[in-house]
Amino acid sequence: MGLTAVLFGGRLRIALVALCFVGAAVGGAYATGVIGVPSVEGVDNRFADVNQTTTVIETDLRVSNPNPISANLSGLAVDYAVGMNDIEMATGKKKGISVGQGTTGVPLRTTLSNERIPAWWVSHIQNGEHTTLRVNATVSSETLGRSFEAPKIARSIDTDLLSAFNSTETREVDADAPLVSDPVLYINETSAEWGESTSERTALELTFVVHNPNAYPVAVSELGYNISMNDVDVGEGTTQSEYVIPPKATKTIEATTYIENDRLDEWWVTHLDRNQTTDLRIDFYAKLDAGGTTLTVPLDALTYEKTFETDIFGNKAASDTNASATDSSTNETETADGNTTQSSGSKTTTTTTETTSTDTATTTTETTDTATTTTAEPTTTTTAGDTTGIGTNETTSDDGLL
């Protein structure tokens, strides 16, 4: 054995012994409490870039190191997941993180595939327009040989898309046609509820109480509809069964409309582009046979509009760069339980701030409704109507792309 080999072998052995000694020393120091265990102080999330296929979620993980020296040694690794109603929306993993003394912000980027939005939507509707958002993060230290979790984050996201459709306001339907006196019909009552939701489409069950003020029967042979969200067409179609409303009588018409779920990923992009705000609109038309005349009549009086907002991560107010002049007049008060109530005109939003613990925070969406009021005509006879219906494999990279 040559001198070089002896020296080289000796140095290698010394280095290995030194590494083992350091590892044992660190492990022993941790076991005896000399070295403190890093902890996660908090997690902040926000939506970043969004395009037709993916949504980027940026996260700041705040890791606290109580030790006077760097705690990275062999590095820290972070596993991260975002779930909505137990549907895993995005996951990510980052290795080799260096954490110095004190608190260090660890930036993460996870990518949500927009194809998962329809599945979440179905769960949201089936759950009574309620979503539970959960954010879980786990940090592991190879040096310390253990893992520690970030504080659990849970938020409630609720919407109310249909309640304003339930109305007893009387609205006139005008034919605007020769030989037909207006109003040709009165809509005395409307109501809506969610029907069956599948992976393909979401049913919307509508009921109309219709009065015929004429001396002749009026037949409704077709009821058409178009549903849009932020000008994205998410559903259209017609009912085909015929309803005949006798003279001076009232009848209930029931119809099933559908939202096509495969169009919701396109809507999602507009929802985020507009700072988590959506304008829902439903337009109707009817084919009528009145006094021997067949007409296609736009049911403008039944047009339904509703604006709803979400605040999924609970920090929209802080990141809102699109505040309008009307927003500056919002009055804000803080309640004893830490909630903040805002009021401006006819809008009211109550938001509970997100907690970095096992507590659950709640976000209540803000809505704006549009209604039309006309003079009601007395009605008497009521007859029952018919019911008509019209009809993941996961891979994880450093970016967390699903």
Side-chain angles (χ1 to χ4, degrees):
M1 179 181 298
L3 179 61
T4 301
V6 171
L7 292 175
F8 180 77
R11 291 174 181 172
L12 181 59
R13 282 193 294 273
I14 292 171
L16 290 174
V17 170
L19 285 175
C20 292
F21 175 77
V22 170
V26 171
Y30 162 66
T32 59
V34 175
I35 292 181
V37 181
S39 61
V40 179
E41 290 186 346
V43 182
D44 295 323
N45 305 277
R46 60 188 173 274
F47 289 113
D49 299 331
V50 59
N51 57 40
Q52 295 301 312
T53 57
T54 58
T55 301
V56 175
I57 301 173
E58 292 183 344
T59 301
D60 288 326
L61 196 71
R62 298 189 300 279
V63 180
S64 176
N65 174 23
N67 302 292
I69 59 174
S70 176
N72 63 319
L73 297 177
S74 299
L76 299 177
V78 177
D79 287 288
Y80 180 82
V82 177
M84 297 170 69
N85 284 345
D86 297 326
I87 297 173
E88 198 167 70
M89 304 298 290
T91 62
K93 188 169 187 177
K94 191 170 184 177
K95 296 181 178 180
I97 300 171
S98 297
V99 178
Q101 182 182 359
T103 300
T104 301
V106 179
L108 302 171
R109 284 171 67 90
T110 45
T111 304
L112 182 156
S113 174
N114 295 347
E115 291 180 349
R116 297 203 170 186
I117 295 303
W120 160 73
W121 168 269
V122 171
S123 74
H124 183 72
I125 297 302
Q126 291 179 341
N127 206 26
E129 293 193 50
H130 173 81
T131 289
T132 299
L133 170 80
R134 299 188 187 279
V135 179
N136 298 315
T138 301
V139 180
S140 58
S141 170
E142 187 177 303
T143 303
L144 300 179
R146 61 160 291 175
S147 298
F148 49 99
E149 294 186 350
K152 299 291 186 182
I153 294 177
R155 293 186 60 79
S156 291
I157 303 157
D158 298 283
T159 58
D160 181 13
L161 303 183
L162 301 183
S163 64
F165 194 83
N166 301 327
S167 173
T168 57
E169 297 172 354
T170 297
R171 284 151 282 183
E172 297 180 354
V173 176
D174 293 333
D176 292 326
L179 307 178
V180 177
S181 60
D182 286 327
V184 65
L185 292 173
Y186 285 102
I187 309 295
N188 287 339
E189 186 176 340
T190 58
S191 60
E193 62 181 9
W194 295 108
E196 181 182 6
S197 296
T198 67
S199 58
E200 290 79 25
R201 59 186 187 176
T202 306
L204 188 56
E205 306 288 353
L206 306 177
T207 302
F208 307 91
V209 178
V210 183
H211 176 71
N212 176 12
N214 301 290
Y216 48 80
V218 175
V220 181
S221 60
E222 183 178 295
L223 180 66
Y225 66 92
N226 179 271
I227 306 173
S228 64
M229 298 167 69
N230 287 343
D231 296 325
V232 176
D233 290 333
V234 295
E236 64 275 325
T238 59
T239 63
Q240 299 299 327
S241 295
E242 181 172 318
Y243 292 83
V244 178
I245 307 170
K248 305 294 184 180
T250 301
K251 195 164 189 175
T252 297
I253 296 177
E254 297 179 342
T256 303
T257 61
Y258 293 99
I259 292 176
E260 303 299 332
N261 295 342
D262 61 0
R263 303 181 190 178
L264 293 174
D265 52 350
E266 182 180 352
W267 155 74
W268 171 257
V269 175
T270 69
H271 185 65
L272 294 190
D273 282 342
R274 298 187 62 201
N275 198 22
Q276 299 188 56
T277 301
T278 289
D279 293 327
L280 170 68
R281 181 184 176 100
I282 308 178
D283 294 296
F284 299 94
Y285 71 87
K287 287 188 176 180
L288 307 178
D289 187 346
T293 302
T294 301
L295 310 163
T296 298
V297 178
L299 301 179
D300 295 334
L302 290 183
T303 297
Y304 181 64
E305 295 178 300
K306 184 151 191 171
T307 297
F308 68 93
E309 299 184 26
T310 60
D311 188 2
I312 291 177
F313 292 124
N315 56 4
K316 189 173 76 165
S319 61
D320 187 1
T321 58
N322 300 316
S324 63
T326 56
D327 293 333
S328 62
S329 63
T330 300
N331 297 319
E332 181 175 299
T333 58
E334 185 171 343
T335 61
D337 58 1
N339 294 347
T340 299
T341 301
Q342 296 179 339
S343 60
S344 176
S346 60
K347 295 184 179 180
T348 300
T349 301
T350 302
T351 303
T352 302
T353 57
E354 178 177 313
T355 59
T356 54
S357 66
T358 55
D359 298 334
T360 300
T362 303
T363 297
T364 303
T365 59
E366 178 178 302
T367 58
T368 304
D369 309 321
T370 301
T372 304
T373 305
T374 60
T375 303
E377 174 171 310
T379 60
T380 53
T381 308
T382 301
T383 57
D386 300 323
T387 301
T388 304
I390 307 176
T392 38
N393 294 324
E394 178 182 311
T395 58
T396 305
S397 66
D398 286 342
D399 289 334
L401 177 63
L402 293 175

